[in-house]
Amino acid sequence: MLTFRKALLLSACALTIIYFFQSSHSKATYPGDIEHYGKHENAAAKDTVPTGSAPQPTKVHPPPWGVSKDKKSSQQTFNSVEGKSLQEQLRYLYPYDPDGKFPAYIWQTWKATPASGDFGDELRPQEASWTDLHPDFIHEVITDQTAVHLIRYLYASMPEILEAYNALPIPVLKADFFRYLILLARGGIYSDIDTMALKSAVDWIPSDIPPSSVGLIVGIEADPDRPDWKEWYSRRIQFCQWTIQAKVGHPILRNIVASITEDTLRMKKLGILSKKKIDKSIVEFTGPALWTDLIFNYMNNPEYFKIENGGKNITWEAFTGIETAKKVGDVVVLPITSFSPGVGQMNAKDIDDPMAFVKHDFEGSWKAASERIKPIIG
């Protein structure tokens, strides 16, 4: 017979078990908080490169757009940024912690998810390569419909961001804009759906560079050392944006999100935000030309870099012909082979080269034919 004393004792035991369960799970590490440079766990503290195995995957998988766990906030109050510029609002919304970890996310976009029969069998090996080489990462393929809801969630306090995204008249513009938006808010890796991972991101930077000193990793798309380069590319050195790795809130991402938002709303107000009327080409509006310009602007900005009197600006000359990673401030630039192996031009090596990390098939099926990458002939 269950007496009052026994019932009380059972209740106490049940409460103890519940408390213990909640306490143990509150200490779980989410995959999004894993520093993917697992073998450099203590690099931030010691500025050395210790050896060891990568972090073990956790059983707890929160939504990738969930609130970060136990983040110390350096944010201002909402009232203090109200009426400020877009960049200041973005700085408040997603502060940049240069000493933080690279979030363990992989973001891709497509018309359907891999679970759908509409995904396309030709893309499955490429999509799977990212999961296979990054088993501890959360890998998300975001559809167009999901992207809208995700932007609405991540930028709820900045409705002009969603307004600009929805107003963009061409799919490639939205595809470009989304990669910057998701990396600014959640960090990690963005890579086009027609890319194949050849090496884990753990190996993308040399072991003598502590991950805590890096906030952005980019690769060279084009290094055309010939007189007629302007006929083929918009910049003498052009950084690719089909694969990017970043920490949350990086200033370059903040700058490009603000630039695209302001340009979009300006054209909308002028009544020229249509495929035939926009006053910028796609590469200058949202693509690699704008991306390249803002990277160089950042590298030459005294707010972030100490520039001595009489010091030269950092230009394309600092990166032409490089065959290994080059670090400028908190930005690591990879050679053309890293994200464009096997293209057969501009000194890019083949896919079996040690510096080949990502293979891009240049499908660009969401782009107009005139906007796709073309090989240089002759």
Side-chain angles (χ1 to χ4, degrees):
M1 180 176 177
L2 185 64
T3 65
F4 175 79
R5 180 175 294 179
K6 288 181 180 178
L8 188 62
L9 183 61
L10 287 173
S11 299
C13 290
L15 288 172
T16 302
I17 292 170
I18 292 171
Y19 175 80
F20 177 80
F21 179 81
Q22 289 180 335
S23 298
S24 63
H25 279 264
S26 69
K27 296 176 183 177
T29 300
Y30 294 158
D33 291 326
I34 294 172
E35 181 174 9
H36 76 254
Y37 298 109
K39 58 187 178 183
H40 304 320
E41 283 287 329
N42 300 318
K46 298 182 180 179
D47 203 28
T48 59
V49 187
T51 57
S53 59
Q56 294 301 310
T58 172
K59 299 292 185 184
V60 184
H61 285 205
W65 43 87
V67 178
S68 298
K69 175 179 69 72
D70 295 336
K71 281 284 189 193
K72 288 184 179 179
S73 176
S74 59
Q75 297 180 351
Q76 310 166 56
T77 63
F78 178 78
N79 289 336
S80 67
V81 295
E82 198 172 7
K84 299 282 187 179
S85 68
L86 271 177
Q87 287 201 31
E88 285 300 315
Q89 293 180 59
L90 290 168
R91 187 197 298 262
Y92 154 76
L93 187 61
Y94 294 114
Y96 175 48
D97 177 9
D99 298 322
K101 300 176 180 180
F102 278 97
Y105 294 137
I106 297 168
W107 306 100
Q108 297 186 288
T109 57
W110 193 236
K111 303 164 187 175
T113 67
S116 168
D118 298 328
F119 183 71
D121 290 340
E122 71 282 0
L123 293 173
R124 292 191 184 279
Q126 295 160 307
E127 186 271 339
S129 70
W130 288 96
T131 299
D132 292 344
L133 286 175
H134 304 86
D136 296 343
F137 282 45
I138 292 178
H139 181 188
E140 294 285 342
V141 177
I142 306 296
T143 64
D144 295 342
Q145 278 189 321
T146 303
V148 175
H149 294 301
L150 192 48
I151 294 168
R152 182 180 290 116
Y153 174 81
L154 294 172
Y155 295 92
S157 63
M158 298 184 66
E160 57 267 65
I161 301 286
L162 183 63
E163 179 187 355
Y165 180 83
N166 286 332
L168 290 169
I170 310 170
V172 64
L173 298 175
K174 290 187 174 182
D176 282 344
F177 197 20
F178 179 80
R179 71 194 66 191
Y180 310 131
L181 289 168
I182 194 65
L183 288 177
L184 176 64
R186 287 296 175 259
I189 298 168
Y190 170 86
S191 197
D192 281 356
I193 200 67
D194 57 349
T195 59
M196 179 169 286
L198 302 176
K199 285 189 178 180
S200 169
V202 172
D203 302 316
W204 284 6
I205 63 173
S207 59
D208 60 345
I209 298 179
S212 61
S213 70
V214 181
L216 185 75
I217 300 174
V218 297
I220 292 176
E221 173 184 357
D223 185 9
D225 185 15
R226 48 187 289 163
D228 62 346
W229 65 266
K230 289 185 179 179
E231 297 179 20
W232 303 94
Y233 293 95
S234 55
R235 300 294 183 269
R236 175 57 182 80
I237 281 283
Q238 190 163 293
F239 298 118
C240 79
Q241 28 91 273
W242 61 70
T243 302
I244 305 166
Q245 186 173 24
K247 292 178 181 176
V248 172
H250 194 278
I252 294 175
L253 293 167
R254 187 167 66 227
N255 293 345
I256 201 165
V257 166
S259 173
I260 294 171
T261 301
E262 289 165 351
D263 254 356
T264 301
L265 298 182
R266 173 186 62 81
M267 286 188 242
K268 181 181 179 182
K269 186 175 181 181
L270 292 174
I272 59 171
L273 191 61
S274 67
K275 185 175 181 179
K276 294 184 177 179
K277 291 183 179 180
I278 55 175
D279 56 13
K280 289 186 173 183
S281 67
I282 291 174
V283 293
E284 301 279 350
F285 187 4
T286 62
L290 175 65
W291 179 237
T292 299
D293 288 350
L294 291 180
I295 290 173
F296 277 120
N297 287 352
Y298 176 73
M299 290 178 176
N300 291 289
N301 188 339
E303 181 181 348
Y304 303 107
F305 293 88
K306 184 177 180 181
I307 301 174
E308 301 293 342
N309 291 335
K312 290 184 178 180
N313 280 352
I314 296 172
T315 68
W316 64 268
E317 294 175 308
F319 304 104
T320 186
I322 65 171
E323 296 188 354
T324 58
K326 185 166 186 175
K327 183 173 180 286
V328 178
D330 65 344
V331 178
V332 167
V333 177
L334 300 174
I336 193 169
T337 298
S338 294
F339 292 163
S340 300
V343 295
Q345 57 187 6
M346 295 177 283
N347 296 316
K349 308 297 192 299
D350 213 341
I351 60 172
D352 59 354
D353 189 86
M355 287 301 297
F357 302 151
V358 176
K359 184 179 183 295
H360 189 209
D361 283 344
F362 299 101
E363 292 296 329
S365 58
W366 60 92
K367 300 181 182 181
S370 61
E371 296 296 335
R372 299 181 194 174
I373 302 296
K374 303 174 185 176
I376 297 178
I377 309 297

